[in-house]
Amino acid sequence: MDKVRTRFAPSPTGFMHIGNLRTCLYAYLYAKKNDGTFVLRIEDTDQERYVEGAVDVIYNTLKKAGINHDEGPDKDGGYGPYIQSERKSLYLDYAKELVDKGGAYYCFCTKERLDTLKDGNGVAKYDKHCLSLSKEEVKARLDAGEPYVIRQNIPASGVSEYEDMVFGHISVPNEDMEDNILIKSDGMPTYNFANVVDDHLMAINYVIRGVEYLSSTPKYNLMYDAFGWERPHYMHLSPIMKDAQRKLSKRYGDANFEDFLDKGYLPKAIVNYIALLGWSPKGNDEKLSMEQLVEQFDVDGISKSPSIFDEAKMRWLNGEYIKAMSVDEFVEVAKPYFDKSKVKDKYDYRALAKLLIPRVEILSEIPEKVNFLEEFGEYDTTMFEHKKMKITKEIALTNLKAIKDELKDFENWTDEALKERLSGLAEKLACKSGQVFLPLRLALTGVASTPGGATEMAELLGKQESMRRLDFSIELLRK
Ligand code: GLU
């Protein structure tokens, strides 16, 4: 059997849509699973205009995602060039070969003539007008320098069929397909043509891409057949939706890999999550490393139905990745977020990391979770009221005063020691420990959600600052 060769063929748009990244991932996983080769090809010919730095976005994304291509513009494997615009010179010759083989023909129709073919909705289906030109006439018009395009010659009747590895049997009546342009009047190929020539010349035998190409694929197969080339296998992938009606797109919020990195997701978690969007592993485990994904990936698990992007689930998964991190690993990825927060250079990030690791799902939660350390002032004292724990503002005030007395000469300012001391106090006061610890936590921080319990917060703040805040809160409650 031939070695499996798959490819990812992005157009350099300047961003990486999550759907494209998933296509890339599946092509990579399929190649790796089968000890094959994964090729990166940049499809930059159909582009309206050049986007500065867009190719770097592709490289950076793949790198961050841990998807390593075996061949590409920066890794020659003998099938280059891997950038379409550097392959320009090759397409016209192949198009001419296809004309000779009857799979395509020259067309000289003017825009005015094409306009007359338009129906009420402005849609025109080309009527094969130029297919009837004689060889001599074509030659004469080419020699005279008349502008032309080259069109695919689709049989007028019959059906074209193939087996898609995901969607099964696909059959399209030839009359539903159009004699699309393969070479434009400027001599450049269209996607329709370039993808066939490139995939063939790069020996791609498994074409994995978005479902929008499912129904065009019979056209591509007709070209493979006309050239006498072996058709590749195809795997088309369903779209990723925001909900039942809408595709995931920038219009409805985030849709690009970069957007989620900016929000504080870890590349590994994003990759893991998108692997599950449209593919189900056989086992129950959903937290899967790249190695595990390669090992478990199989076509049977790929779904034909569109998948719904569930950010809450990705967030949960991201939290699982964070929980599995060491303090050093966490500090490394969290540093930019600490630096953006009020604690910049004022606290030991490692000490904060220990508290945050079990409590944050995405890194962008960090500043709001630590800002209270540096930011403390008037706050809403209704926070102290807690029905279930039977805490009123009065009880909070009484207990805070008792805490203050209990701690004023206490020097062993560690989480453990403070916890023990205050548990003793709760017993002395004959109240529930929550009636001591909750008011203390709020009094020390001024916020409802904190990255740890009262005594952990006290240790972090140190005795002096803790006592200062305790005094402040007591005054606030007295008002
Ligand atoms: N450049 C095309 C795209 O970005 C590639 C389609 C394909 O994989 O054949 O949609």
Side-chain angles (χ1 to χ4, degrees):
M1 213 181 82
D2 283 343
K3 195 172 174 179
V4 167
R5 289 178 61 87
T6 67
R7 77 337 184 243
F8 176 49
S11 301
T13 52
F15 47 83
M16 180 72 73
H17 187 273
I18 286 290
N20 280 346
L21 186 61
R22 188 198 52 181
T23 300
C24 173
L25 178 63
Y26 285 14
Y28 172 77
L29 294 176
Y30 191 77
K32 294 297 117 183
K33 167 95 188 191
N34 293 289
D35 298 317
T37 303
F38 173 63
V39 179
L40 173 65
R41 175 172 79 227
I42 308 290
E43 300 207 327
D44 59 348
T45 46
D46 241 0
Q47 250 180 298
E48 299 281 287
R49 63 193 157 86
Y50 177 75
V51 183
E52 184 79 36
V55 175
D56 288 334
V57 172
I58 296 171
Y59 287 130
N60 289 339
T61 302
L62 264 58
K63 199 162 168 211
K64 280 186 198 151
I67 300 175
N68 302 315
H69 51 286
D70 303 300
E71 291 175 25
D74 55 345
K75 273 186 208 161
D76 190 7
Y79 291 88
Y82 295 89
I83 299 191
Q84 233 168 31
S85 56
E86 293 172 14
R87 304 170 64 80
K88 268 184 218 163
S89 58
L90 175 148
Y91 301 108
L92 189 56
D93 286 342
Y94 278 100
K96 287 176 181 166
E97 182 182 333
L98 198 59
V99 171
D100 290 341
K101 290 181 160 159
Y105 57 96
Y106 290 94
C107 169
F108 301 93
C109 288
T110 59
K111 185 178 175 299
E112 290 69 34
R113 175 163 194 282
L114 295 176
D115 282 344
T116 64
L117 300 176
K118 284 187 181 157
D119 63 15
N121 299 319
V123 184
K125 186 177 180 209
Y126 188 63
D127 59 357
K128 290 182 178 284
H129 180 75
C130 289
L131 184 60
S132 59
L133 299 177
S134 70
K135 266 206 170 113
E136 294 66 34
E137 195 173 341
V138 169
K139 185 170 181 314
R141 292 174 79 164
L142 290 175
D143 287 348
E146 224 181 283
Y148 68 90
V149 300
I150 295 178
R151 289 185 183 271
Q152 187 175 1
N153 181 18
I154 307 261
S157 58
V159 288
S160 292
E161 299 172 287
Y162 74 103
E163 290 299 319
D164 187 86
M165 291 169 76
V166 175
F167 284 83
H169 191 74
I170 302 297
S171 156
V172 177
N174 290 334
E175 61 180 358
D176 288 356
M177 296 189 277
E178 215 196 328
D179 287 2
N180 287 121
I181 293 174
L182 304 179
I183 298 286
K184 297 182 278 188
S185 56
D186 62 2
M188 292 291 274
T190 56
Y191 166 79
N192 284 322
F193 190 54
N195 94 86
V196 170
V197 173
D198 291 345
D199 282 340
H200 171 71
L201 294 180
M202 294 183 180
I204 302 301
N205 45 15
Y206 288 82
V207 169
I208 301 170
R209 63 183 163 208
V211 76
E212 60 274 25
Y213 298 100
L214 183 76
S215 60
S216 309
T217 295
K219 280 194 285 209
Y220 309 148
N221 282 331
L222 286 169
M223 284 190 251
Y224 278 95
D225 297 350
F227 273 120
W229 295 343
E230 196 178 329
R231 296 179 180 187
H233 302 277
Y234 296 98
M235 215 184 282
H236 286 96
L237 308 173
S238 280
I240 300 177
M241 309 291 285
K242 173 156 181 74
D243 52 37
Q245 283 84 33
R246 301 173 297 176
K247 273 198 196 174
L248 191 67
S249 92
K250 192 83 194 159
R251 260 177 54 213
Y252 307 120
D254 312 301
N256 299 327
F257 183 62
E258 295 293 324
D259 295 334
F260 293 108
L261 292 181
D262 289 348
K263 276 175 132 181
Y265 285 92
L266 304 165
K268 276 188 186 155
I270 303 175
V271 168
N272 185 161
Y273 179 66
I274 64 171
L276 304 173
L277 273 176
W279 170 74
S280 325
K282 291 213 172 72
N284 290 329
D285 213 356
E286 294 198 300
K287 181 167 176 277
L288 299 167
S289 67
M290 192 63 100
E291 293 71 44
Q292 289 170 312
L293 289 172
V294 168
E295 201 180 281
Q296 298 187 23
F297 192 70
D298 63 331
V299 183
D300 295 347
I302 299 179
S303 162
K304 283 193 226 180
S305 347
S307 37
I308 300 211
F309 190 86
D310 178 358
E311 192 170 344
K313 180 156 180 195
M314 183 162 85
R315 208 179 156 111
W316 164 80
L317 193 57
N318 203 69
E320 295 301 299
Y321 275 85
I322 288 180
K323 284 194 192 93
M325 284 179 151
S326 68
V327 168
D328 287 333
E329 286 166 338
F330 183 82
V331 170
E332 195 183 322
V333 294
K335 187 166 184 306
Y337 296 87
F338 282 134
D339 286 348
K340 248 192 298 204
S341 78
K342 300 248 166 22
V343 305
K344 181 174 176 6
D345 298 333
K346 295 200 172 106
Y347 277 83
D348 173 13
Y349 292 172
R350 293 179 55 87
L352 295 177
K354 282 183 200 141
L355 293 173
L356 292 171
I357 286 170
R359 294 185 173 90
V360 297
E361 284 187 324
I362 59 176
L363 300 170
S364 53
E365 291 169 40
I366 292 174
E368 80 198 37
K369 284 220 158 49
V370 297
N371 277 345
F372 73 89
L373 289 166
E374 279 300 302
E375 205 177 43
F376 184 77
E378 292 267 332
Y379 58 86
D380 180 2
T381 52
T382 53
M383 244 182 352
F384 285 98
E385 293 165 5
H386 199 294
K387 264 221 178 92
K388 227 161 123 203
M389 278 204 245
K390 299 208 171 67
I391 306 176
T392 60
K393 281 202 218 182
E394 290 67 36
I395 293 176
L397 179 61
T398 311
N399 289 358
L400 288 176
K401 284 194 277 190
I403 293 168
K404 190 183 155 186
D405 285 341
E406 186 75 12
L407 297 182
K408 63 174 193 286
D409 300 318
F410 189 68
E411 295 305 329
N412 192 2
W413 210 260
T414 64
D415 172 29
E416 279 307 304
L418 286 163
K419 205 179 277 163
E420 206 186 303
R421 179 88 177 196
L422 293 174
S423 298
L425 175 67
E427 254 171 63
K428 253 194 283 177
L429 297 174
C431 66
K432 290 201 197 86
S433 62
Q435 291 172 323
V436 168
F437 289 98
L438 179 66
L440 176 60
R441 187 171 65 80
L442 299 176
L444 291 177
T445 63
V447 293
S449 151
T450 54
T455 49
E456 284 172 302
M457 297 301 99
E459 180 180 327
L460 210 53
L461 290 164
K463 179 167 182 185
Q464 205 188 348
E465 178 65 7
S466 297
M467 294 311 276
R468 185 183 78 79
R469 291 186 178 199
L470 203 47
D471 284 337
F472 180 90
S473 294
I474 288 170
E475 282 316 306
L476 202 60
L477 272 167
R478 274 202 180 118
K479 279 186 192 163

